[in-house]
Amino acid sequence: MRGLLLIPLLVLAGAAAGGVSGARAPFACAPGGPATSLPFCRQSLPLRARARDVVARLTRAEKVRLLVNNAAGVPRLGIAGYEWWSEALHGVSDTGPGVRFGGAFPGATAFPQVIGTAASFNASLWELVGKAVSDEARAMYNGGQAGLTFWSPNVNIFRDPRWGRGQETPGEDPAVAGRYAAAYVRGLQQTYGGQRGGHTRLKLAACCKHFTAYDLDNWAGTDRFHFNAVVSRQDLEDTFNVPFRSCVVDGGAASVMCSYNQVNGVPTCADRDFLRGTIRGRWGLAGYIVSDCDSVDVFYSDQHYTRTKEDAVAATLRAGLDLDCGPFLAQYTESAVAQQKVSDADIDAAVTNTVTVQMRLGMYDGDLAAQPFGHLGPQHVCTPAHQELALEAARQSIVLLKNDRVLPLSPAAHRTVTVIGPHSEATVAMIGNYAGKPCKYTTPLQGIGRYAQTVHQAGCTDVACNGNQPIAAAVDAARRGDVTIVVAGLDQKIEAEGLDRSSLLLPGRQAELISSVAKASKGPVILVLMSGGPIDIGFAQNDQRIAGILWAGYPGQAGGQAIADAIFGQHNPGGKLPVTWYPQDYLQKVPMTNMAMRADPAKGYPGRTYRFYTGPTIHPFGYGLSYTSFTHSLAHAPAELTVRLSGHHAVSSSSSLNTTAHQSRTAVRVAHARCEELSIPVHVDVKNTGDRDGAHTVLVYATPPEAAARGHGAPVRQLVAFEKVHVPAGGTARVEMGIDVCNDLSVADRNGVRRIPVGEHSLMIGELTHSVTLGLEQLGV
């Protein structure tokens, strides 16, 4: 988010996130207050009706001051001011002004950065983390030190390996990102008590960001404030918009944030087709749409999309924006009304949407202590259970990339461990960005020290590792240990918001440090990498003296303990890479500004992500080793399935897929199929053939019939289902999954229309391949 200048005139004393630590006064409808008898305080009425009653009682000036994140109060109605901007990407964060640590709330549990948690491929874990964060956030709200509207999660596709914010996302795959979005949102929001009108109550309000095709911050002279993302309808439909749809439709998110960039020449925060048409219309958002911070000012001042400030107000309100993170709408909406560029009805619609969300959060229900979550307080933050969950999440995020039969280490055989590297004593670096103040840290050195005696020498004084560095001292230390562990990687000075990478290599002299230590080490060398984005570590993969490599993401407050537990076998790694790890030369072929997902061989463009890229990799998406081994056997899956249509819909030929005329396959629009009947049950038996208990992720990929794949850019393969299962040594566990034909086996044509190819689809599960033939049955009207 851009640096935000708050308007002093809109901030009432104590209005933003509460005053001193302690019990928070009622936001509105306080017993004995000026509005107690008014309809908007009557909990028996429908929430939307109550919200409309609030709006009907406001002056235009009062409503305008509710269009911005630091919304002013309305004292005459007993309504307090409110700061909408709080963050909870992977723990309660003070990145935004809505959260303040201190007093009874000195910190909050810092879970692994999202890219790491995504590597667990464990949707149950994602929701549990959301629930824990929800408890802590609500407790801090009750204590006057946080809001209830959290602008998380970030569900943008990690399209380009250089993106500085890729660390915030669940990775490159739309299915994984979508499932993560829904799970984390469900955990955060904890909906309950459905009411007439379809509005459920909320514990917190989550926000899916940044809609859409937002994945460039600052690269080669192009920044996010000026970038026009040229995106095909096909790529919007089957890649960029997929996780947002899941976030809203499956997760029930209360909010969506539009992004800084333009898409095909229109700022997303002024795109009526996107905001009113897609988010609120097609997906049925029951909440509010908010701008990224200062986005409205950006498309006026930086992108020069409108001629006047009032035109910018009109463009965004009429497009469907409800809330401006920034002062722009508070400053210029009244003059836009005076110039008849917007109406009071436009303002009323926006404010009604935001007030309805506040109603769903119980903010108009009076005394907090009497509400369902009113008991939550300081004792519910940094609890032992939450900190144990942070440790478990960090363990599950670790991906074993290489193991030459050395790992796990034995404390009995490796009594003295040399610990080297710029991240060997990492603390703040372990939590990535959009983080808060952790309950505590366990560094890698501390974690390893719980298993063995340690000799420590950093080798690089920081991650940049430039100039004169104590590499010689590290080499000497490596000669003294039974084993050497090097903890290296990236940090927020290399990849961050506003900072995209120019290289996939380790920074500075880190590779020199690792190779020099490997050459000198008395015992085996284990390399541990911390990063959000992928790294070209080809030199280490090919170095026989480096016996093991682990990727830990940014593992959160307990990262050091999790790393040590994995190295010494207390935990058997089961993580899988949520992004493709490309070689460095990939960057020469792919400008960040080229948004196309599909390869264009005629132009030497190799495509992006495992779904479309077929070139060499350092490690592929979904890669990850274990200390044990697993085999799969198919217990149940049909060989045929009939796609049933309503009688007035005709079967379309392959020409509707924009394929060449000679192709004779057929396909049917998803909109014309009876999708509720179209699910493929897939039951897989997973056998642990090794001598250690372990967790395994069953990944099910699909490829469409050849005709659909040829000519119009269907993915090379597409992840359609995944489940994590724990299997004891020698044991077998059955995993039951369902593949949604309309969502998972359909193909977006070049017009962005989803169609189900008829014919033989292949499902690939580890070493197995199973064919499912989809046929058509025409039904009578």
Side-chain angles (χ1 to χ4, degrees):
M1 295 183 179
R2 202 183 200 190
L4 180 63
L5 298 175
L6 303 179
I7 323 171
L9 67 90
L10 293 184
V11 181
L12 302 183
V20 297
S21 177
R24 180 191 284 272
F27 174 79
C29 301
T36 308
S37 62
L38 296 178
F40 68 76
C41 289
R42 297 177 194 164
Q43 297 181 40
S44 61
L45 295 177
L47 296 177
R48 190 78 174 177
R50 294 172 66 192
R52 289 193 184 104
D53 185 69
V54 171
V55 175
R57 296 176 187 280
L58 301 175
T59 67
R60 181 188 296 158
E62 288 168 338
K63 287 183 282 191
V64 165
R65 290 172 184 169
L66 298 180
L67 293 173
V68 291
N69 64 289
N70 54 331
V74 187
R76 66 183 180 84
L77 294 177
I79 299 172
Y82 180 68
E83 175 56 69
W84 286 83
W85 181 4
S86 293
E87 300 278 358
L89 183 69
H90 53 112
V92 181
S93 166
D94 56 353
T95 302
V99 172
R100 295 178 298 105
F101 290 112
F105 299 95
T109 309
F111 293 91
Q113 179 60 291
V114 176
I115 194 68
T117 309
S120 72
F121 281 78
N122 186 344
S124 298
L125 174 68
W126 301 337
E127 187 164 346
L128 285 173
V129 171
K131 288 180 179 179
V133 175
S134 184
D135 275 353
E136 298 196 355
R138 189 82 195 207
M140 290 187 68
Y141 174 78
N142 292 345
Q145 292 183 224
L148 288 177
T149 47
F150 286 82
W151 293 347
S152 306
N154 180 344
V155 298
N156 291 115
I157 294 296
F158 196 170
R159 170 188 64 101
D160 190 289
R162 291 161 287 199
W163 189 30
R165 300 189 72 175
Q167 61 183 287
E168 303 173 29
T169 77
E172 71 182 36
D173 180 69
V176 174
R179 194 163 171 196
Y180 177 89
Y184 191 68
V185 166
R186 284 194 296 266
L188 277 183
Q189 293 195 155
Q190 297 284 283
T191 57
Y192 67 100
Q195 198 189 52
R196 281 184 298 153
H199 291 293
T200 54
R201 293 296 192 121
L202 300 167
K203 183 179 176 185
L204 298 181
C207 177
C208 320
K209 64 185 188 185
H210 314 78
F211 188 85
T212 183
Y214 172 79
D215 50 18
L216 178 151
D217 267 54
N218 194 342
W219 176 81
T222 300
D223 67 44
R224 56 185 172 165
F225 307 123
H226 300 86
F227 181 49
N228 176 30
V230 179
V231 189
S232 70
R233 284 180 287 184
Q234 188 176 37
D235 283 339
L236 281 173
E237 173 60 30
D238 76 356
T239 298
F240 296 110
N241 288 357
V242 172
F244 289 96
R245 180 185 184 278
S246 182
C247 203
V248 174
V249 175
D250 302 324
S255 177
V256 173
M257 176 182 286
C258 50
S259 54
Y260 290 119
N261 56 291
Q262 296 184 359
V263 173
N264 300 326
V266 182
T268 63
C269 293
D271 194 317
R272 184 183 181 93
D273 287 342
F274 278 165
L275 306 191
R276 290 194 190 278
T278 298
I279 297 172
R280 200 171 290 283
R282 287 173 54 200
W283 299 344
L285 175 73
Y288 70 98
I289 300 174
V290 61
S291 75
D292 204 340
C293 293
D294 291 328
S295 285
V296 182
D297 184 47
V298 164
F299 77 66
Y300 167 72
S301 300
D302 296 337
Q303 297 173 8
H304 307 296
Y305 181 72
T306 62
R307 186 178 60 84
T308 69
K309 298 179 178 70
E310 288 77 15
D311 288 334
V313 170
T316 200
L317 284 179
R318 289 180 176 175
L321 190 78
D322 302 307
L323 186 71
D324 178 18
C325 179
F328 199 92
L329 291 188
Q331 293 172 323
Y332 304 112
T333 297
E334 288 196 78
S335 59
V337 175
Q339 296 175 26
Q340 298 185 331
K341 293 184 174 180
V342 293
S343 67
D344 285 308
D346 295 320
I347 301 170
D348 289 354
V351 177
T352 300
N353 286 333
T354 56
V355 172
T356 299
V357 169
Q358 291 180 320
M359 291 280 182
R360 296 175 68 192
L361 289 162
M363 294 172 67
Y364 282 79
D365 291 347
D367 184 13
L368 278 173
Q371 295 184 35
F373 308 106
H375 67 287
L376 295 173
Q379 70 274 23
H380 297 98
V381 180
C382 289
T383 65
H386 290 175
Q387 294 192 65
E388 181 62 31
L389 181 62
L391 173 58
E392 179 59 25
R395 288 173 177 147
Q396 292 195 31
S397 72
I398 292 172
V399 181
L400 180 61
L401 299 177
K402 179 181 180 180
N403 186 18
D404 290 344
R405 295 192 295 273
V406 169
L407 292 171
L409 301 180
S410 164
H414 305 100
R415 299 185 178 218
T416 302
V417 178
T418 300
V419 184
I420 288 169
H423 277 321
S424 55
E425 292 187 285
T427 54
V428 174
M430 291 196 300
I431 59 177
N433 71 354
Y434 280 80
K437 293 179 171 55
C439 314
K440 61 180 181 180
Y441 288 112
T442 302
T443 71
L445 181 62
Q446 290 169 336
I448 294 165
R450 295 175 182 177
Y451 287 94
Q453 182 179 6
T454 59
V455 175
H456 177 242
Q457 177 56 244
C460 292
T461 56
D462 57 18
V463 165
C465 197
N466 287 317
N468 293 327
Q469 297 290 330
I471 292 177
V475 168
D476 181 64
R479 296 188 178 104
R480 292 153 38 203
D482 300 316
V483 62
T484 299
I485 299 173
V486 183
V487 193
L490 313 179
D491 65 7
Q492 301 307 303
K493 293 181 180 179
I494 306 296
E495 53 178 358
E497 182 171 5
L499 179 63
D500 296 326
R501 296 159 66 192
S502 59
S503 171
L504 299 183
L505 302 176
L506 284 167
R509 300 176 66 188
Q510 283 196 46
E512 178 189 344
L513 169 69
I514 295 164
S515 296
S516 299
V517 163
K519 186 176 181 179
S521 180
K522 183 175 73 173
V525 175
I526 309 301
L527 173 61
V528 179
L529 298 165
M530 287 190 201
S531 72
I535 305 171
D536 182 342
I537 51 165
F539 78 96
Q541 286 290 143
N542 297 327
D543 191 333
Q544 295 182 356
R545 296 163 299 193
I546 298 175
I549 304 175
L550 301 99
W551 177 71
Y554 292 124
Q557 66 176 51
Q561 184 62 51
I563 289 166
D565 288 348
I567 289 174
F568 286 93
Q570 183 68 26
H571 170 75
N572 185 352
K576 304 287 186 184
L577 290 179
V579 290
T580 301
W581 282 34
Y582 301 94
Q584 170 71 6
D585 63 7
Y586 176 79
L587 305 187
Q588 310 308 313
K589 306 169 187 176
V590 184
M592 276 196 80
T593 48
N594 188 330
M595 300 295 294
M597 298 301 298
R598 289 152 173 83
D600 186 348
K603 296 182 179 179
Y605 183 72
R608 296 183 179 277
T609 78
Y610 80 95
R611 297 166 64 229
F612 303 104
Y613 173 69
T614 57
T617 64
I618 300 299
H619 288 298
F621 170 89
Y623 180 80
L625 306 174
S626 172
Y627 295 153
T628 188
S629 54
F630 301 93
T631 60
H632 309 83
S633 58
L634 193 62
H636 172 71
E640 297 180 348
L641 189 71
T642 299
V643 178
R644 301 173 67 195
L645 309 176
S646 55
H648 62 282
H649 291 308
V651 177
S652 60
S653 72
S654 62
S655 61
S656 63
L657 279 169
N658 291 341
T659 56
T660 56
H662 71 272
Q663 293 172 331
S664 59
R665 295 285 186 176
T666 58
V668 61
R669 281 187 181 231
V670 166
H672 298 168
R674 296 195 172 187
C675 290
E676 67 278 3
E677 304 172 4
L678 290 175
S679 180
I680 299 174
V682 177
H683 301 173
V684 179
D685 287 336
V686 180
K687 181 174 179 60
N688 184 337
T689 57
D691 58 2
R692 287 180 176 270
D693 297 354
H696 177 65
T697 298
V698 179
L699 302 172
V700 182
Y701 295 93
T703 59
E706 183 180 352
R710 184 177 64 245
H712 71 277
V716 175
R717 59 185 179 127
Q718 168 73 52
L719 186 68
V720 294
F722 62 90
E723 289 296 337
K724 191 76 167 272
V725 62
H726 187 272
V727 190
T732 300
R734 177 161 295 182
V735 178
E736 298 183 359
M737 296 166 285
I739 297 172
D740 185 319
V741 171
C742 290
N743 283 334
D744 301 328
L745 298 187
S746 61
V747 174
D749 69 18
R750 286 185 171 83
N751 293 316
V753 176
R754 282 200 170 270
R755 302 178 187 272
I756 304 168
V758 176
E760 186 178 288
H761 294 250
S762 295
L763 303 181
M764 293 155 288
I765 311 162
E767 67 278 17
L768 301 177
T769 299
H770 175 71
S771 294
V772 178
T773 299
L774 298 183
L776 288 177
E777 176 184 334
Q778 188 78 20
L779 300 180
V781 177

